Amino acid sequence: MTAVDDPVLVVDFGAQYARLIARRVREAHVYSEIVPPTLSAAEILARRPRGIILSGGPKSVYEGPAPTLDPELYRAGVPILGICYGAQLLARQLGGAVARTGRGEYGRTALSVTAPSPLFADWPAESVVWMSHGDSITEVPPGSVATAHSAESVVAAFHDPERRIYAVQFHPEVVHTERGAELLEHFLLDVCGIAPSWTHVSIIEQQVAAVRAQVGGERVLCALSGGVDSAVAAAVVHKAVGDQLTCVFVDTGLMRAGEAEQVEETFHRQFRIDLVHVKAADRFFDALAGVTDPEEKRKIIGTLFIRIFEEVARDLGAGVGGTGPRFLVQGTLYPDVIESGTGEAASIKSHHNVGGLPADLDFELVEPLRLLFKDEVRAVGEELGLPHEVVWRQPFPGPGLAVRIVGEVTRERAGILRAADALVVEEIRRAGLYRHLWQSFAVLPAVRTVGVMGDGRTYAYPIVIRAVTSDDAMTADWARLPYELVERIASRIINEVDGVNRVALDVTSKPPGTIEWE
Ligand code: XMP
């Protein structure tokens, strides 16, 4: 994905804050990108930003080495909005004062608007904002005017309209600031004068044009995983280059119920994409026979997946001197690009899908989603007509059901887990909870337990229900599913899935647990 012209740039003084601001700007239909504060003014201005937002951050302006900005930027006439740390930095660098008053503000705070400002155009005199600061701005820079205060901040906002510089001590990007979204819109539309044109349709148009320019008349390969990222990436590339695209779906026998059929239905029948469907379950079960160590399983699955992918690519004529596909589609998203820290092309992710594809396959990467956040990817997927089920599917680990089958992975045990998992998902969907949960699935432990069914004693597997809420999978909380729902899932699994006689609920958060059992 190539850069988009004339962005709003968010200078990153603290990753989560900057990311949230960038997302909010895009929600206002204005394209935004995150840049590090280490860029010089010339480098920032070379991007031709239509506005610049300085994010909050965890540092104090007094802390060494607290990040600063090239002050040349303040003379360029590009509208600037400083938020929290960004506001304090503006105050200090422009000649105002920031002090450690010892009276910070954290959480909901009453704000009084004291002077007219385009940012506060439709605000009442008093409103609730979200603050999180230890230092305070005590004096505005020469030429600036204070526009708001709070109980502990004599300057909760200031501006210098002539220089087009605006600063707020609170966080307009968080939902707890009552009119935060409006404030950002005022900055973007009224102060910067930007027409909101970043829409899902425009994203698609831009990316389709970029893919066409990159690929020309050559052939492109895409490995589908059944997940949303590879599906949307494939759909964008297909819109761009049509039947120059070949998709590969390796059915490992460890997919969720209906996944292989869904991929076939969506990509082959609906989109009429050239789809190579490799039915490789036997190879995977053979390779996994007798293996119980989780990392060993991952390695075996990853390696075999790569081997199969290479076979397909070779069959299609790829490789040194070959006439086959030279380009490989990768569903890299913007958070991965930011995390790589450089903004440079990310190399193929090792964690992606099934262990990552080998670099020595010698493909040039096509990454049509590399500037998008997950919610934008979903919106693009919807816009391109992908089924809701694909677009809203919960994340699924590359090694598939294998890391949810504790102990040996056999065809029989995978069958039990897949059937139980399908019932968990079906009931969670029916209860309207599927999209609210980060993941919800079944786990098959490596023990059997005694039960009674009818007149007989049973000795069969338990199934564990695992459902979590999370924002990013780094931490997670176990979902408080309604008891009636848990009961319905349990009784359906025991009655409908052969080989299961007991159901348990996992009530472990992450940390100390992980989301998956292996
Ligand atoms: P854990 O279990 O570490 O999982 O809390 C965090 C997130 O990562 C997914 N996951 C994987 N994804 N390959 C993947 O592509 C893997 O080997 C893998 N292991 C865990 C997991 O589903 C959760 O969303």
Side-chain angles (χ1 to χ4, degrees), residues 298 351-353 395-399 403-404 438-439 473 510 514-516 518:
R298 275 194 173 79
H351 199 62
H352 194 71
N353 297 331
F396 187 57
V403 292
R404 296 175 181 173
W438 176 264
Q439 280 171 295
K510 173 183 179 176
T514 51
I515 295 175
E516 304 292 346
E518 287 201 334

